[in-house]
Amino acid sequence: MKRLLLLPLLLALAGFISLLPVHANTEFELYMHDFYKKQEMASKLLKEVETDLKKGASERVCARQRKAANYGVEATESLIKAFKVSGNAYQTDDIKAGLNKWRELRDNC
């Protein structure tokens, strides 16, 4: 008997929870999340490339370096957008210099 009462209660609770509004992130937070995620991926790939080069293995180094640099470019572009959204666009000049370094790394392999 208790199980019969528990099941409708659980279904009602599940229905109520599904109707609750989802907490949306701000545009700034979305750009920053994208920046951190892509920056981490770029760093990981570059560490792998560095390790392989130290071991003397040069297989696919350029391809992975370009992929890492693409992540770096995308991450930096997200950071620039985040600063513009937050009103701190004056800091973007230094960040753009970093963006150019990522592009050099990508294009000069």
Side-chain angles (χ1 to χ4, degrees):
M1 183 72 172
K2 288 183 181 181
R3 286 186 184 182
L4 291 176
L5 292 175
L6 187 60
L7 184 60
L9 181 61
L10 288 175
L11 290 174
L13 183 61
F16 176 74
I17 289 173
S18 68
L19 295 176
L20 292 176
V22 176
H23 176 68
N25 291 332
T26 64
E27 191 175 7
F28 174 78
E29 290 171 336
L30 292 174
Y31 284 131
M32 290 305 295
H33 174 73
D34 189 56
F35 165 73
Y36 287 124
K37 182 177 70 171
K38 289 182 178 173
Q39 187 70 23
E40 182 181 337
M41 293 165 74
S43 295
K44 181 182 175 202
L45 281 170
L46 288 177
K47 285 178 187 177
E48 290 173 5
V49 166
E50 181 182 20
T51 301
D52 286 351
L53 288 173
K54 285 180 181 178
K55 292 179 181 177
S58 58
E59 274 183 33
R60 301 178 333 136
V61 166
C62 273
R64 287 185 292 159
Q65 180 176 321
R66 278 191 208 103
K67 187 174 181 179
N70 282 331
Y71 282 131
V73 167
E74 292 171 7
T76 307
E77 288 171 346
S78 289
L79 185 61
I80 290 169
K81 290 176 186 176
F83 276 116
K84 285 182 180 178
V85 166
S86 71
N88 292 329
Y90 62 89
Q91 297 176 349
T92 59
D93 289 336
D94 293 332
I95 298 169
K96 286 180 182 177
L99 179 62
N100 290 332
K101 292 292 183 185
W102 279 115
R103 289 180 176 150
E104 282 178 36
L105 184 66
R106 178 191 63 197
D107 298 338
N108 296 324
C109 184

